[in-house]
Amino acid sequence: MKKRALVFLFIGLILVILPFCFNLYSLFRLLSLAVGIILITLSLAFSKFKNTFLIILLPIILIFFSYAIDTFLFYKFNRIPIFVYEIKSSSKVSTYNSFFYRIYNCNQELVLDYAYQKKYVCSDSALTTIDINDFLKNPNETYKEYKNKFVKLSGKISKINGNENIELGSYIIEEDSLNGYVNFNNNYAVEVSVSQDLSNFRIYDDLSVIGLVSKYEESDGKYYIYLEDVMLLPSESYESYIEEIKFNNSKDLISLVSEENYYLYGISSFNIRYSNNTLYELSYLITDSRITLDDLISDTSAINLNDENENLIAKKYELDNYNLLVCENSKKIIANKDFELNTELCEH
C-alpha cells in the first residue's frame, strides 16, 4: 500500500473512532465521522488494490456500520447519538432528531421516541408559559422563532372540531362578561391536533397546551399556526372559586334551572367567580354539569326534615353562605340563611 494511502487510512480511522469517545451533542462529531469516512475511501482509491466498485461501496458500508454502532450505544449505554440534529425548546428540553427516531432530552434524561410516535414526554414545568395573545401578535415571526420547537401556550378555546383538533384564538376580555365569554379574533388562531375525548372541554374554557410548532398558514387575512405531538393541560383556574350571592327578602321560589328543579329562595342572583377572575352564573354551571349537587353540599352533614309520621320529606344543609333544602321529590332550594326552611317548601 502506498504511503499516502496509509496516512489517509490512519487519520481516517482516528477520525471515525474519535466521535464515539464523547458523550455529548456536537456537529463536530458528525463532521469528524464524515471526514474520516472520506479519508478511508481515499486511502482505498490511492492504494494499489483500488477497485471502482469497492470505492463506491465502502463509504456506504461505513455509514451503515457507524449508524448501527451509534444506535447500539444509545440503546445499551444511553449515550447521545452522533447521527442526530438537536433542536432546543428551552434550557431543560430539547430533541435529538434522527432518520427513524427522535430522542427527548428532558433535563439530561433521554427518552426514545421511535418512529416519532410519542407526544411531548417531558415535565410541563420545563417550558415557560406563553400567553396566546402574545404568541399571535405577529404569527409569521412567531413561527420562524419557534418552528419545530415545543412551546407551552395558555389561552382560551375558540373552536372544538370533534375529537380531531381544537383552536386557541386571540381574544379580548369584555368588561363584566359572564360565563367565560370573550371576544375572539377568528383571524388569528393556533390549531392543536389531538386524539382524545374532548367532551369535557367547552368554548371559552381556559386551557394550556404543549405542542410542537409544525406548520404555518396565511390565507385571506387568516393566520394559523399548527401544533402537533400535543399534551393538554386543563387549567387549574377552575379548582377554586368564591361565591357571589345577592340576597333579598322575597319569599317567592324563583326557578334557577327548571330542568334540574333548582330554585332560589330569598336570593336575587348566585354567581361563581373562579381564581382566573372569570364570573359564571350558577345556573349555567349546573346546566353544563360543571357543578353538581354533590359539589354544593360537599362534606356537609344533612339535617333530616320529617313529617308527623316520621317520613323523610327533605334534607337540610347549612352551608357557609346559604342553606340548601333537598326535597325527596327532587326539588332543590338554595335559600337565604335568614329564612326558615321547612317541608312545606317542597310542596309549593
Side-chain angles (χ1 to χ4, degrees):
M1 183 176 286
K2 296 180 181 181
K3 184 177 180 181
R4 181 169 55 177
L6 285 172
V7 172
F8 281 175
L9 178 61
F10 178 73
I11 297 175
L13 287 172
I14 292 176
L15 292 177
V16 166
I17 295 171
L18 192 62
F20 293 99
C21 299
F22 298 94
N23 185 30
L24 53 83
Y25 172 76
S26 174
L27 290 177
F28 288 108
R29 295 174 71 200
L30 185 60
L31 179 63
S32 174
L33 184 63
V35 173
I37 291 174
I38 292 172
L39 291 178
I40 292 173
T41 304
L42 288 176
S43 72
L44 179 63
F46 290 137
S47 72
K48 61 182 179 179
F49 305 107
K50 63 183 177 181
N51 179 289
T52 302
F53 177 74
L54 289 178
I55 291 173
I56 296 173
L57 187 62
L58 182 60
I60 298 175
I61 294 174
L62 290 174
I63 291 171
F64 275 97
F65 187 65
S66 299
Y67 188 81
I69 294 176
D70 193 41
T71 304
F72 171 78
L73 290 175
F74 167 72
Y75 275 108
K76 190 69 176 178
F77 302 105
N78 210 35
R79 294 176 64 86
I80 298 174
I82 299 171
F83 289 89
V84 292
Y85 176 68
E86 183 184 32
I87 298 177
K88 294 183 71 67
S89 298
S90 75
S91 60
K92 296 181 179 180
V93 176
S94 64
T95 54
Y96 300 123
N97 302 289
S98 191
F99 298 110
F100 306 110
Y101 62 86
R102 167 175 59 189
I103 299 171
Y104 286 92
N105 182 354
C106 305
N107 201 20
Q108 306 309 314
E109 181 180 347
L110 304 183
V111 180
L112 175 65
D113 177 18
Y114 185 74
Y116 291 76
Q117 294 296 312
K118 293 182 184 294
K119 300 175 183 178
Y120 179 80
V121 300
C122 300
S123 169
D124 60 277
S125 62
L127 296 173
T128 301
T129 303
I130 306 172
D131 183 80
I132 192 68
N133 287 329
D134 295 331
F135 193 73
L136 290 173
K137 275 183 180 178
N138 192 333
N140 187 31
E141 293 301 317
T142 296
Y143 176 71
K144 291 178 182 177
E145 180 179 356
Y146 293 103
K147 180 181 179 181
N148 295 326
K149 295 180 181 180
F150 281 95
V151 295
K152 181 180 179 182
L153 304 178
S154 175
K156 287 183 175 289
I157 299 175
S158 59
K159 186 182 293 186
I160 301 176
N161 299 314
N163 287 327
E164 297 178 357
N165 62 69
I166 59 177
E167 291 183 12
L168 303 179
S170 62
Y171 63 90
I172 297 174
I173 300 177
E174 297 189 354
E175 189 175 355
D176 298 327
S177 64
L178 274 174
N179 303 327
Y181 177 81
V182 295
N183 187 16
F184 286 111
N185 183 346
N186 293 319
N187 293 327
Y188 293 81
V190 171
E191 184 167 305
V192 182
S193 297
V194 296
S195 56
Q196 67 183 76
D197 182 16
L198 298 177
S199 60
N200 291 327
F201 295 92
R202 303 288 187 274
I203 305 298
Y204 304 121
D205 275 0
D206 282 2
L207 182 68
S208 292
V209 301
I210 296 178
L212 182 74
V213 177
S214 60
K215 189 172 66 171
Y216 171 71
E217 286 186 354
E218 180 179 336
S219 177
D220 298 328
K222 296 182 180 292
Y223 306 87
Y224 276 77
I225 295 176
Y226 293 81
L227 299 187
E228 59 185 33
D229 298 334
V230 168
M231 179 170 71
L232 299 182
L233 305 170
S235 175
E236 297 178 356
S237 302
Y238 305 108
E239 293 181 2
S240 62
Y241 61 84
I242 60 173
E243 299 161 346
E244 296 188 0
I245 306 172
K246 292 182 179 180
F247 299 99
N248 60 35
N249 295 317
S250 172
K251 295 296 181 74
D252 295 327
L253 289 181
I254 306 302
S255 177
L256 181 68
V257 182
S258 58
E259 296 85 356
E260 301 290 338
N261 280 326
Y262 278 89
Y263 295 86
L264 296 180
Y265 184 48
I267 294 176
S268 301
S269 66
F270 195 133
N271 296 326
I272 297 293
R273 188 176 296 277
Y274 288 102
S275 60
N276 62 353
N277 205 37
T278 54
L279 191 66
Y280 283 80
E281 295 170 304
L282 180 61
S283 57
Y284 176 89
L285 297 174
I286 292 174
T287 302
D288 209 31
S289 300
R290 296 189 175 211
I291 284 183
T292 65
L293 179 62
D294 289 338
D295 295 322
L296 293 177
I297 62 178
S298 185
D299 297 325
T300 307
S301 298
I303 301 172
N304 292 337
L305 302 183
N306 303 323
D307 61 13
E308 63 273 8
N309 297 319
E310 295 302 318
N311 295 316
L312 180 65
I313 302 301
K315 291 182 178 181
K316 175 183 174 182
Y317 297 88
E318 296 183 347
L319 304 169
D320 291 338
N321 299 317
Y322 59 93
N323 290 338
L324 178 64
L325 189 69
V326 180
C327 305
E328 288 296 290
N329 63 6
S330 79
K331 183 181 289 187
K332 294 167 277 285
I333 302 169
I334 301 171
N336 188 320
K337 289 184 73 71
D338 294 335
F339 286 14
E340 182 181 352
L341 297 180
N342 53 57
T343 57
E344 293 180 2
L345 292 170
C346 295
E347 301 171 2
H348 290 177

